[in-house]
């Protein structure tokens, strides 16, 4: 994503290679597999506690449980967090996920972070007990007939489901929240939504909230008048006004300071803003898209994100799956990258053995990491492989990294640090990433669990 603050998009050439794939429409076998994998409807009944008698039953793939009035299944229980947990139907079954709740979530008497449900399972949140049951009706999964959306490509069911939602979102002016891990393509998805929307002739402005100093974000978004602060020598239009008549994409919205969130909420609701140091409001007409790699519901529970802003952002939600959930797309992506690099037909990178090795990697950096890895390996050969070898000598890696762009070398260093730190933490705690390990690391146990999953150091709980 990089440090692209309030600048018109200039698409990177290496991203354009993703649209050069000549892909046929999904065949009947894939369509049949999608029908076979269609999840069944489920029901949740509160059988004990303050909300006994409440229930949820919808032909929808997920249900959010919490005390917030806008939760799918609201439980008015003082020991239940605003966003406590959720039930989500996925490829391998029904998952129960704790959303960073204050008091934890029990499944059949065991505290869990992410676990598979079975018919009749009992979920305990606070003082309330909820029974999970499976219905007979199958939920239809919206699947795009196209194997790509903008520069994003994929034939996997997970990606075609995301494409179908993005296609519908593009036609709407409703606020869109793109969720997904780093490198899954949120920025590219925002560009594609803009290009497919009725506002395609207007500007597309991207602001990376994670790349701006907190003291600059307000001016960057809302602009300022001359003399508003020291160094403000002239009036400056903010990102909202720059994007007027088009699309504004705020990436890493979870990094927005808490004190600025009410001001953003006001602009989204009234379509009016006031520049820093100004005395009058300005009208703006903007299609708003936000992106985050975090679960904002957990941030709401912890007091770091406003619940009213979250619901205003999450009118439309699209999750971009990580690469490990769409390994079927690896050959497609790798082939496109290698074609763009003009790798010869007899290149070792095109061998079945090399392709199989790609599927064995955890890819914490997702498609971006795959692209960078193939480019480095093609250009540098063994040197490129050393940059992703967990056992490479630090001095060698540092010297080799100097040949890369700063942002890419920094990202690689962060991923390496995360993995080495987590491996040491797990070793210190007997291979368990539980509450004691999270406390020692000084982070939320749910966040630690996600980091361990990201680096392939722990499998989802069954």
């Amino acid at each position: 994503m990089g440090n692209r603050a309030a600048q018109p998009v200039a698409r990177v050439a290496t991203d354009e290679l993703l649209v050069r794939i000549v892909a046929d429409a999904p065949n009947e076998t894939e369509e049949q597999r999608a029908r076979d994998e269609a999840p069944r409807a489920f029901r949740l009944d509160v059988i004990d506690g303050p909300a006994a008698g409440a229930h949820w039953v919808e032909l929808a793939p997920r249900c959010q449980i919490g005390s917030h009035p806008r939760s799918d299944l609201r439980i008015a229980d003082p020991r239940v967090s605003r966003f406590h947990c959720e039930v989500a139907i996925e490829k391998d079954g029904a998952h129960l996920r704790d959303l960073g709740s204050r008091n934890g979530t029990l499944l059949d008497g065991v505290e869990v972070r992410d676990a598979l449900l079975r018919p009749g399972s009992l979920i305990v949140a606070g003082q309330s007990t909820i029974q999970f049951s499976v219905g007979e009706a199958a939920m239809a999964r919206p699947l795009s007939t196209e194997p790509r959306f903008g520069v994003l490509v994929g034939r996997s069911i997970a990606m075609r489901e995301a494409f179908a939602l993005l296609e519908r979102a593009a036609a709407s002016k409703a606020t869109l929240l793109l969720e997904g891990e780093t490198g899954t393509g949120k920025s590219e998805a925002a560009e594609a939504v803009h290009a497919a929307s009725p506002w395609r002739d207007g500007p597309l402005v991207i602001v990376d909230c994670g790349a701006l100093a907190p003291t600059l974000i307000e001016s960057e978004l809302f602009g300022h008048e001359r003399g508003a602060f020291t160094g403000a020598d002239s009036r400056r239009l903010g990102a909202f006004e720059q994007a007027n008549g088009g699309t504004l994409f705020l990436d890493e919205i979870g990094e927005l300071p808490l004190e600025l969130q009410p001001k953003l909420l006001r602009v989204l609701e009234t379509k009016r803003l006031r520049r820093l140091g100004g005395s009058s409001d300005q009208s703006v007409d903007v299609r708003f898209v936000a992106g985050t790699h975090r679960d904002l519901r957990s941030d709401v529970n912890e007091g770091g994100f406003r619940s009213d802003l979250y619901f205003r952002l999450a009118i439309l939600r699209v999750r971009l799956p990580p690469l490990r959930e769409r390994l079927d797309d690896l050959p497609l992506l790798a082939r496109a990258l290698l074609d763009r690099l003009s790798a010869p037909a007899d290149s070792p990178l095109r061998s079945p053995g090399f392709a199989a090795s790609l599927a064995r990697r955890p890819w914490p950096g997702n498609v971006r990491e795959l692209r960078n890895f193939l480019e480095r390996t093609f250009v540098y050969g063994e040197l490129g492989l050393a940059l992703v070898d967990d056992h490479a000598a630090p001095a060698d890696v540092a010297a080799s990294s100097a040949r890369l762009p700063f942002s890419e070398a920094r990202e690689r260093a962060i991923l390496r640090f995360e993995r080495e730190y987590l491996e040491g933490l797990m070793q210190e705690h007997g291979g368990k990433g539980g509450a004691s390990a999270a406390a020692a690391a000084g982070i939320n146990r749910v966040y630690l669990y996600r980091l361990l999953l990201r680096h392939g150091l722990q499998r989802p709980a069954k």
Side-chain angles (χ1 to χ4, degrees):
M1 295 174 188
N3 298 339
R4 294 180 289 176
Q7 299 176 3
V9 171
R11 185 169 294 157
V12 180
T14 51
D15 287 333
E16 293 180 347
L17 60 90
L18 295 179
V19 302
R20 299 182 60 214
I21 303 169
V22 178
D24 297 327
N27 58 41
E28 183 60 28
T29 300
E30 291 173 319
E31 296 297 338
Q32 182 61 50
R33 183 164 59 125
R35 288 192 290 269
D36 293 342
E37 292 180 0
R40 286 187 291 167
F42 64 94
R43 179 184 177 105
L44 297 172
D45 291 279
V46 184
I47 61 175
D48 191 24
H55 67 275
W56 184 92
V57 55
E58 297 284 347
L59 286 174
R62 63 184 63 239
C63 175
Q64 183 175 272
I65 303 168
S67 60
H68 194 282
R70 295 180 63 180
S71 291
D72 299 322
L73 176 57
R74 186 191 181 195
I75 299 181
D77 180 337
R79 294 182 59 81
V80 171
S81 298
R82 283 176 286 184
F83 301 106
H84 197 98
C85 60
E86 74 172 354
V87 174
I89 305 297
E90 297 180 1
K91 181 178 178 180
D92 57 343
H95 283 253
L96 172 65
R97 290 195 179 91
D98 183 83
L99 299 176
S101 64
R102 295 186 306 273
N103 299 310
T105 302
L106 300 181
L107 173 60
D108 295 328
V110 178
E111 183 172 1
V112 298
R113 293 175 293 260
D114 186 336
L116 287 170
L117 291 153
R118 57 176 179 77
S121 284
L122 296 179
I123 302 165
V124 176
Q127 298 172 309
S128 301
T129 302
I130 307 158
Q131 187 169 47
F132 169 82
S133 57
V134 179
E136 295 299 325
M139 288 183 285
R141 303 181 68 175
L143 298 178
S144 174
T145 58
E146 297 295 327
R148 72 187 190 192
F149 183 74
V151 299
L152 301 173
V153 298
R155 287 199 186 101
S156 64
I157 292 173
M159 282 305 289
R160 287 168 50 215
E161 188 170 10
F163 293 165
L165 296 174
L166 290 171
E167 289 165 1
R168 296 180 185 181
S172 167
K173 203 172 185 178
T175 301
L176 169 64
L177 178 63
L178 298 171
E179 299 173 309
E181 296 177 5
T182 299
T184 50
K186 295 185 292 293
S187 182
E188 290 77 9
E191 294 178 32
V193 165
H194 172 73
S197 75
W199 301 274
R200 66 178 68 86
D201 295 329
L204 169 62
V205 176
I206 293 180
V207 177
D208 186 345
C209 296
L212 293 172
T215 54
L216 299 177
I217 293 181
E218 184 173 9
S219 174
E220 193 70 38
L221 293 182
F222 309 114
H224 63 254
E225 298 288 355
R226 180 180 179 181
F229 51 84
T230 303
D233 299 327
S234 61
R235 170 186 291 176
R236 184 184 187 282
L237 299 184
F240 272 97
E241 289 185 272
Q242 292 179 43
N244 197 33
T247 302
L248 172 61
F249 175 51
L250 285 194
D251 200 7
E252 297 307 340
I253 189 73
E255 305 301 323
L256 189 70
L258 192 60
E259 61 270 19
L260 289 184
Q261 293 177 21
K263 190 167 184 177
L264 174 60
L265 179 61
R266 176 177 178 270
V267 177
L268 295 179
E269 291 182 338
T270 67
K271 306 298 183 184
R272 298 183 66 82
L273 62 82
R274 181 169 297 184
R275 301 187 194 110
L276 195 61
S279 58
S280 61
D281 289 351
Q282 314 298 321
S283 297
V284 289
D285 179 21
V286 171
R287 167 66 188 281
F288 188 80
V289 181
T292 181
H293 75 282
R294 297 158 64 159
D295 191 328
L296 297 181
R297 297 169 299 181
S298 295
D299 291 344
V300 169
N301 287 337
E302 295 171 2
F305 204 83
R306 292 176 60 104
S307 62
D308 50 2
L309 178 57
Y310 168 77
F311 280 112
R312 190 63 183 79
L313 296 175
I315 294 175
L316 302 177
R317 289 173 60 198
V318 177
R319 175 181 177 268
L320 297 177
L323 193 51
R324 64 180 176 275
E325 292 181 10
R326 47 180 294 224
L327 293 178
D328 291 352
D329 290 334
L330 262 176
L332 189 70
L333 292 168
R335 185 164 64 249
L337 289 161
L338 294 172
D339 287 346
R340 179 63 177 85
L341 293 169
S342 300
D346 60 351
S347 169
L349 303 185
R350 294 187 183 273
S351 68
F354 183 78
S357 72
L358 295 179
R360 291 194 293 269
R361 292 182 177 273
W363 300 114
N366 296 295
V367 177
R368 180 190 297 151
E369 182 182 5
L370 173 67
R371 181 189 65 203
N372 294 343
F373 169 66
L374 290 175
E375 289 179 355
R376 278 195 298 270
T377 306
F378 178 71
V379 174
Y380 294 139
E382 292 301 320
L383 179 59
L385 287 170
L387 290 172
V388 293
D389 184 357
D390 290 338
H391 304 290
D396 294 340
V397 172
S400 302
S401 296
R403 304 188 185 191
L404 303 173
F406 173 77
S407 60
E408 186 177 331
R410 179 178 62 182
E411 182 178 341
R412 174 57 52 190
I414 290 172
L415 290 172
R416 176 177 293 278
F417 162 76
E418 283 183 359
R419 185 175 180 86
E420 291 178 351
Y421 180 89
L422 293 170
E423 286 176 339
L425 185 68
M426 294 285 278
Q427 185 174 358
E428 289 292 325
H429 291 81
K432 297 180 180 179
S436 62
I443 58 178
N444 181 277
R445 70 181 188 279
V446 176
Y447 180 54
L448 173 60
Y449 180 65
R450 291 183 187 137
L451 285 175
L452 293 171
L453 286 177
R454 180 184 182 193
H455 288 275
L457 298 176
Q458 186 163 323
R459 294 185 177 183
K462 297 299 183 182

